[in-house]
Amino acid sequence: MLFEIERKFLVAHDGWRAAAVGGRLLRDGLVGPYHTSKVRVRLDGERAWLTVKGPRKGLGRLEFEYEIPSDDADEMLRSVCQGEQVEKIRHNVFHDGLKWEVDVYQGSLSGIVLAEVELQREDQPFSKPDWVGQEVSGDPRFKKAAMLKLRRQVGRPLTISGILSASP
Amino acid sequence: MLFEIERKFLVAHDGWRAAAVGGRLLRDGLVGPYHTSKVRVRLDGERAWLTVKGPRKGLGRLEFEYEIPSDDADEMLRSVCQGEQVEKIRHNVFHDGLKWEVDVYQGSLSGIVLAEVELQREDQPFSKPDWVGQEVSGDPRFKKAAMLKLRRQVGRPLTISGILSASP
């Protein structure tokens, strides 16, 4: 169990690419979203995780993560997970002692790039790389389910400005 | 991953008690029920499991079960699980090469006793001990959520005949 504090940002420009390491394809599915919690299956190459995320408290939430056999994850993604699955290429960028994760969405969410940093405390100071743009932590428009819904509504690939002009 | 086939029965009389072994208190919570699947946390003494159950297919369903730290389960039961938690004392009864589980519900479901047997195949023949009563596999009235709902409606401890007279 850990208390996870993540802050999420738009990406202002491609400057992160020069410093990016460890690009890998993640395939995520939700066993299902509950009112305030969710259970996610993540397939990351040969490894896989089952994660229970509790209700949000401020910028944080309780998270319980367990590594599981990748065959199990594959089967759950095919036969248990509901709703659309999301693929993204995740790049790590290390900056000033912190690891940033830049997610380049694929498939139906292609066009979307978001950056996240994980902190120990809500008030922890940190320096933003110059390619990090506007903060969207807690902005409901940038939740995966909301982006997938908007994508179905507009019927064409999303853009960040398209998401920002959607009603929050 | 396993494909779990369970058949559920009423208990005709207390004859199972003479052969019962391994009585232990289980505390179950749902991270949440989805349309067709569910994720259950189970605390069984010092051990705990997180179980993903897929959509039903006939009498069976895909099940993915992982042992997790009991502290995690305790925290999930307190802060993530929704709805009422169920405690039951589970007794094992071995009969003709099969393990029967007799669950004596506690707390708000006290008064309810159900027996389950796990099979390898849907058409697997098995002999029923004489204390095993009417089969209720797949009967929606004997799902935990339905029993808890009925309990809230009637405002007093449930009986098996009360559940049987509820509309299915």
Side-chain angles (χ1 to χ4, degrees), chain B residues 3 6 8 36 38 54-62 138 143:
Chain B
F3 192 72
E6 268 181 358
K8 196 191 287 186
T36 56
K38 61 182 176 181
R56 288 187 182 278
K57 289 177 186 169
L59 289 174
R61 69 195 312 180
L62 270 180
K143 289 192 172 178

Side-chain angles (χ1 to χ4, degrees), chain A residues 35-108:
Chain A
H35 298 300
T36 56
S37 61
K38 61 182 177 182
V39 179
R40 185 191 65 203
V41 181
R42 168 166 288 173
L43 194 55
D44 175 359
E46 296 296 299
R47 302 181 69 184
W49 285 267
L50 183 66
T51 307
V52 175
K53 295 183 176 224
R56 290 188 181 277
K57 289 177 185 169
L59 290 173
R61 69 192 315 178
L62 270 181
E63 186 174 299
F64 306 84
E65 188 156 70
Y66 309 103
E67 186 159 7
I68 63 172
S70 60
D71 285 353
D72 282 14
D74 191 63
E75 182 63 45
M76 275 191 242
L77 285 165
R78 282 190 288 119
S79 61
V80 179
C81 291
Q82 291 170 2
E84 209 168 337
Q85 289 165 28
V86 169
E87 285 192 341
K88 57 191 179 187
I89 297 175
R90 170 161 288 182
H91 305 266
N92 294 334
V93 183
F94 294 91
H95 176 85
D96 198 18
L98 284 177
K99 182 177 78 173
W100 290 75
E101 294 173 331
V102 180
D103 288 335
V104 179
Y105 285 85
Q106 308 292 303
S108 63

